[in-house]
Amino acid sequence: MRAPPQRAAPCARVVKDSGPIVVTDDWPERVPIGDAELRAIEGHLRKELDDLFGPLP
C-alpha cells in the first residue's frame, strides 16, 4: 500500500486593512413574505410554532 498523496499547504492571503467595514441596506422597514416563503418557514419551524402557539385545529 502507498501512503495517500500529501496536500499542499494553503497559501496565506495578505489583506490590506482599509479601516472599518460599513454595512448598509436598502430593504424596506417591513419586508413582504410570499406564500412560498411562508410555507417553507412554517414547514421548517412547525414543531417550534406548535410549541409556542399550539397545534392548528
Side-chain angles (χ1 to χ4, degrees):
M1 289 185 81
R2 283 195 309 188
Q6 296 293 322
R7 290 187 177 194
C11 298
R13 293 189 336 192
V14 176
V15 178
K16 184 178 178 183
D17 184 15
S18 60
I21 297 172
V22 178
V23 178
T24 59
D25 69 56
D26 58 355
W27 286 60
E29 188 66 30
R30 297 187 70 177
V31 179
I33 297 176
D35 189 54
E37 290 90 359
L38 184 58
R39 289 179 188 268
I41 292 167
E42 287 176 340
H44 185 71
L45 298 175
R46 178 166 308 276
K47 182 183 179 316
E48 289 79 6
L49 291 172
D50 286 347
D51 289 347
L52 285 172
F53 303 114
L56 291 174

